[in-house]
Amino acid sequence: MAVDQTSLVELVSFLESFPEPHILCDRDYRILAANTAFRANWGEQTEVVGRKCFEVSHRYTVPCDQAGESCPLQRSLQSGQRERVLHLHYTSHGESFENIELSPIHDASGAIAYYIEKLEPLPGESSLADVQGLIGRSPAFLAMMELVARVAPSDASVLLQGESGTGKELVANAIHQLSRRAKQPFVAVDCSGLPETLFESALFGHERGAFTGATTRTTGLIEAASGGTLFLDELGDIPLAIQVKLLRLLETGTYRRVGSPELRKAELRVVSATHRPLAEMVAEGLFRQDLFYRLNIFPIHLPPLRQRGDDVLLLAETLLDRVSAGSRRNRLSQEAVDWLRDYPFPGNVRELRNILERACLLCDGDEILLQHLPRQSPALRPPQTSAEGSPPEKRDYRESRAVSLEKLVRDFRGSRKALASHLGLSERTLYRRLKALENQQR
């Protein structure tokens, strides 16, 4: 499409009026203009005009959607509307998560002629990534972070769902740090660690003499989180009697200390997390449906580590800096890298850290070898996630911990050598286990 030079000059002038980085692109991803704020982000790359946006921002040779990421331009071509995504961009200051807001510009006939793209770094992002371990580049991780970036500025209740060890408290803290409440308290409550008899007083506080042993007035965790964020971890463990009072807090913004008739006001945001199937618990009467709806306004699924591809290697490199023994900086051998890529990590990031810390203690040199890593155990592998109706020979048995060895042998369509490979065992070890199974069935 030919560029109208008069219109282009006007658009460039319009872009310069914004303090945030903005670029003007055509439908073929080519940058036609960039304002001063955008150019400042790319230091040595003084000339960005004429280059493709994905080349400048990502160092890709193909558009984002062909490199496994969400492309706002393609999405806008399909919807005809403004689109917003979260991308990890290269800048002169290093990598940075940025909110990308892309707006289409239509010509006189109504067709999309150009796009204006606005880039906004997430506030405090570098500290989140470097200090708290929110590190990743996989599509699953970036999709999760996009939801975090969308919901953080609001006061909506967020429910984080994911397996144990996926970093739910880290994500909850990221939501807090990216919100208007960032300078206020972030209070985490481990609901599984509180006995039912103490749950109410721990959460709401109590007056002196409210019960035996209450010798002083005590501030509850809700009051401690005033103005900030209350993080309820392991939500499914909250007793039903407390669920009623928590619902009242969410609906009215008020609560009572144990032993007090006085209504107190609470101004806070609630982020909760669980690895338990709350919908099933609701159906079984173990969790209140009305409370579930109040807390599940904005659900976010945290992907398990086995679904994040080479993020495991990025995390491993960062974790090694923290767990390496003494002043020595351990590095991964190629066989250790291959092992990490293949291992399904039923304990997710928490398990990865534990494995690396143990390996550093076992390693006398600088390089972590296979002998420093634990042997894989099929009993600890996560449940299979294959689509319903998939033929048994196409299921990923290495990711199955629920299925027995007997069922594996019965369903597997392949040689014993292939089965041993799927289980991460030697043929000799598999033979011994099969022999033991045979003896048990006699």
Side-chain angles (χ1 to χ4, degrees):
M1 181 179 296
V3 178
D4 184 321
Q5 292 301 317
T6 301
S7 299
L8 186 57
V9 170
E10 293 173 351
L11 285 171
V12 171
S13 176
F14 177 65
L15 295 186
E16 285 294 348
S17 67
F18 294 111
E20 306 90 359
H22 281 72
I23 56 174
L24 177 71
C25 296
D26 62 18
R27 293 165 58 111
D28 295 321
Y29 310 96
R30 193 172 302 281
I31 298 174
L32 303 177
N35 69 356
T36 301
F38 184 92
R39 291 174 184 273
N41 269 356
W42 271 270
E44 75 284 356
Q45 297 180 15
T46 53
E47 190 50 64
V48 296
V49 174
R51 303 173 67 185
K52 299 294 181 74
C53 58
F54 53 80
E55 176 192 353
V56 172
S57 298
H58 297 282
R59 301 178 184 172
Y60 290 158
T61 57
V62 294
C64 300
D65 57 320
Q66 296 179 34
E69 290 196 50
S70 178
C71 175
L73 193 150
Q74 282 299 320
R75 282 168 52 168
S76 184
L77 279 174
Q78 295 172 9
S79 68
Q81 300 176 353
R82 177 181 300 173
E83 293 289 343
R84 179 181 163 192
V85 300
L86 181 81
H87 275 183
L88 184 63
H89 277 185
Y90 286 95
T91 73
S92 59
H93 311 294
E95 290 182 315
S96 171
F97 282 116
E98 295 187 324
N99 275 317
I100 311 300
E101 186 176 288
L102 184 133
S103 303
I105 299 176
H106 299 82
D107 61 18
S109 68
I112 296 176
Y114 310 115
Y115 287 100
I116 289 181
E117 184 172 284
K118 173 186 173 184
L119 294 82
E120 251 186 334
L122 297 186
E125 178 277 324
S126 60
S127 62
L128 289 175
D130 296 338
V131 177
Q132 298 182 354
L134 284 178
I135 299 168
R137 297 176 183 170
S138 67
F141 176 81
L142 293 177
M144 178 200 74
M145 285 299 295
E146 182 175 341
L147 294 176
V148 168
R150 281 180 177 272
V151 75
S154 75
D155 276 334
S157 296
V158 180
L159 178 59
L160 305 175
Q161 296 174 296
E163 296 175 9
S164 178
T166 49
K168 293 186 282 291
E169 185 168 348
L170 296 182
V171 174
N173 199 27
I175 292 171
H176 173 73
Q177 294 297 333
L178 295 172
S179 74
R180 63 181 180 84
R181 302 176 181 272
K183 295 182 179 179
Q184 302 303 319
F186 174 81
V187 177
V189 184
D190 181 2
C191 300
S192 65
L194 288 172
E196 185 170 351
T197 53
L198 298 178
F199 207 108
E200 184 177 4
S201 63
L203 204 58
F204 299 102
H206 63 261
E207 296 292 335
R208 179 180 178 183
F211 50 84
T212 303
T215 56
T216 60
R217 172 186 288 178
T218 301
T219 298
L221 295 170
I222 287 172
E223 192 171 346
S226 179
T229 302
L230 181 70
F231 173 53
L232 300 173
D233 198 8
E234 296 304 340
L235 182 69
D237 291 328
I238 296 181
L240 280 168
I242 306 301
Q243 291 179 27
V244 178
K245 298 182 179 183
L246 183 58
L247 177 64
R248 185 180 299 118
L249 170 72
L250 294 172
E251 289 185 337
T252 67
T254 61
Y255 68 99
R256 287 186 176 91
R257 287 177 178 165
V258 177
S260 172
E262 179 188 356
L263 271 179
R264 304 181 66 87
K265 288 193 174 183
E267 202 288 302
L268 48 75
R269 182 193 198 162
V270 176
V271 177
S272 50
T274 182
H275 73 280
R276 301 176 66 179
L278 284 188
E280 293 179 17
M281 293 179 66
V282 168
E284 295 170 3
L286 301 175
F287 198 88
R288 290 184 63 96
Q289 185 179 53
D290 44 9
L291 179 59
F292 173 69
Y293 289 140
R294 290 288 304 187
L295 294 172
N296 195 38
I297 292 174
F298 198 93
I300 298 179
H301 172 71
L302 277 65
L305 192 51
R306 64 183 175 277
Q307 293 179 3
R308 292 177 54 183
D310 280 349
D311 279 1
V312 65
L313 302 182
L314 291 174
L315 286 162
E317 289 297 323
T318 301
L319 291 172
L320 278 176
D321 286 335
R322 302 174 190 172
V323 303
S324 289
S327 60
R328 188 174 72 245
R329 169 61 167 85
N330 294 103
R331 63 180 183 274
L332 297 168
S333 65
Q334 186 56 51
E335 60 183 9
V337 167
D338 294 340
W339 189 94
L340 290 173
R341 280 189 170 127
D342 185 60
Y343 186 62
F345 289 100
N348 294 294
V349 181
R350 184 183 296 121
E351 183 183 13
L352 172 62
R353 182 189 176 98
N354 292 345
I355 286 174
L356 292 174
E357 188 166 3
R358 176 181 180 272
C360 288
L361 292 172
L362 292 174
C363 180
D364 292 323
D366 294 329
E367 193 170 50
I368 293 175
L369 305 173
L370 194 60
Q371 67 198 54
H372 303 132
L373 300 171
R375 297 181 64 183
Q376 298 186 41
S377 172
L380 293 177
R381 288 174 186 160
Q384 61 190 37
T385 56
S386 58
E388 185 176 350
S390 299
E393 64 270 21
K394 290 187 179 179
R395 295 177 187 163
D396 189 351
Y397 288 107
R398 291 180 303 172
E399 293 187 2
S400 176
R401 64 179 171 184
V403 70
S404 67
L405 179 59
E406 180 183 5
K407 189 174 187 303
L408 279 170
V409 173
R410 184 174 66 249
D411 291 349
F412 192 79
R413 302 295 185 265
S415 66
R416 286 288 183 266
K417 182 177 180 180
L419 177 56
S421 177
H422 271 291
L423 292 173
L425 305 173
S426 67
E427 289 185 70
R428 181 174 296 181
T429 301
L430 177 60
Y431 174 79
R432 286 200 303 268
R433 293 192 181 183
L434 291 176
K435 193 68 176 176
L437 180 64
E438 183 181 337
N439 292 335
Q440 290 174 4
Q441 294 175 338
R442 286 178 179 174

